[in-house]
Amino acid sequence: LGRNANMGSTCEINAAMSIWRRLSLFVLASSLCSCLCRAEDSAMENIVTEKKAEESHRQDSADLLVFILLLTLTILTIWLFKHRRFRFLHETGLAMIYGLLVGVVLRYAIHVPSDMNNVTLSCNVNASPATLLVNVSGKFYEYTLKGEISGSEVNDIQDNEMLRKVTFDPEVFFNILLPPIIFHAGYSLKRRHFFRNLGSILAYAFVGTVVSCFIIGLLMYGCVMLMKQIGHLGGDFFFTDCLFFGAIVSATDPVTVLAIFNELQVDADLYALLFGESVLNDAVAVVLSSSIVGYQPEGDNSHTFEAMAMLKSFGIFLGVFSGSFALGVATGVVTFTKLRDFPLLETALFFLMSWSTFLLAEACGFTGVVAVLFCGMTQAHYTFNNLSPESQDRTKQLFELLNFLAENFIFSYMGLTLFTFKNHVFNPIFIVGAFLAVFLGRAANIYPLSFLLNLGRKYKISSNFQHMMMFAGLRGAMTFALSIRDTATYARQMMFSTTLLVVFFTVWICGGGTTQMLSCQKIRLIGPDGVERRSTKQESVWFFRIWYNFDHNYLKPILTHSGPPLTATLPACCGPLARCLTSPQAYENEEQLKDSDSDLILNDGDITLAYGDITVSTDATGAHTSGTPVGGVAVNSDEALDRELAFGDHELVIRGTRLVLPMDDSEPPLPLDSRRHRHKNETMS
């Protein structure tokens, strides 16, 4: 019995062990199957992820191709317009039209099929985080905030994603597209006419922009109050928002008008007034808008008027502008390139140091637009003279090309965003009020200031010039860039939508009517053979004469290889220091001084010009003689000023007599009558 009992228990143990082994094998097999399934799922997930990444890459390439094709089509049409002498539509307006057409196609003609993998989940949070970590089956995924969408657009996620693909980060405009445009404006500035009208340009750019900002801000605040009374205001809109709108639409960009002026050879003073104002008031508008944003009164309500807060904003304006100005000038002065033997490296270094000025100013809390503008002006005055001839040509062509592409890209993108931007707020009352305010603000800038300026000008700003400046106050790239930089609130979205319409109207209507306006105002065209007025030394700005003497005698010899040697301008006791600071090239170039400021000042009396091995002398009667120069003769600063400033575009006009000084051994210029006859034949053809 005992043995049978032991045998029974042994059988039970063996049976239990057998069951245990079977269960273990089953669990092991299940685990193995589960691992294999997870591995297959992971592999499939990786394949799906790679496929999505490839599709996203193709989509991004297609989006960029759209903009490249837009620019290509714009360039070809520009060529056709120039060939046909069609001036009713400028290239920027054409780029906007093409952008509008592409925007319509992307918005209404192309629909992306819905992705079944998109899942919409609701989660109640108090704020919208910039990044979000989502736990999906033990794996954490990071999602970034792309923006708010309305409830009606939840089912159109794919279409919204496609439109976001062609919407650039606003910082792209400020850090990549704006710097070459602003730098080119300063680098290619014709300082001759700019400094001749410097006082008027500063008045229009600084005083006029501030006046225009407050006029527009006050009128728009009244418009907002009217909208609030009749219930047409869908969100907060404060007085500071109205002032910000006034600041951004006060930035003029008459690129269309100036291009036509340049092509038709319009009066140089009118060109200088418009171009100088547009260059400087862009910088003023940027600093003014940032000062308005920085307006922070004490207390809970940040939109009430407070004198101390306003004075603080004014201090911010002066500090940011002066700091940006100093940084730009300092960077331009220290841009030394000692790579003349390697023009490619020299051009690359010059380009990078110029662009870094904008980024350095933004990183330091200043305004990159102001810094890069004055950096370009300083480099054109000093650094350009130190570059090799190859680098001089390359830098001019490089920045001209970048300016052309960036400007047309921005105007194409303007047309595109009218349909691709998802948060437009169009209010008819606000739009009509904005157009009226912009018109009155421009009038308050031009006419009162012109009246005051004419009280002190020998050559008055005529009424037809004033009407033309009033008409030519176009809005463009800077206004668009400032408005698109922040579209988070209801007020900023309404301002952005209205700004687009203002830019469209001014570019198409005002820019397209430039030729007709010139004819209506009977503004004279100088043309290729016209006689241009030259200012005398007594007519030029007094502080410019003082600055020129200091710059010509001391700064130019130190910072460039041009100008008289310091040994001829510094006292004898400073001889060792003068020899140390003067480069050997300065002695070689002493008798061949050339300056792009050349036509700023010109005496009505006798003038002696030395160029190469030819000396041309003229007197009040217009008679001229030629001979060989006298080398090694030291001249005082006034004589050097009169001689150096007598070179404009290597062409001299005195009392109707034109002296052309050829730059090379090419064919001599035709006589004046022959050139007039040839120009007449070309015009008839």
Side-chain angles (χ1 to χ4, degrees), residues 204 446-456 466:
Y204 287 127
I446 298 299
Y447 295 114
L449 283 180
S450 299
F451 173 78
L452 296 176
L453 290 171
N454 282 336
L455 298 178
Q466 297 177 35

Side-chain angles (χ1 to χ4, degrees), residues 322-377:
S322 58
S324 304
F325 169 80
L327 180 62
V329 171
T331 308
V333 168
V334 301
T335 307
F336 285 103
T337 57
K338 299 293 185 180
L339 309 175
R340 293 175 61 89
D341 295 334
F342 304 96
L344 180 61
L345 300 180
E346 187 180 36
T347 305
L349 180 62
F350 182 88
F351 172 77
L352 293 176
M353 294 190 70
S354 304
W355 203 307
S356 63
T357 304
F358 182 92
L359 302 177
L360 178 62
E362 292 290 335
C364 294
F366 297 116
T367 301
V369 171
V370 179
V372 78
L373 170 64
F374 288 100
C375 176
M377 297 174 65

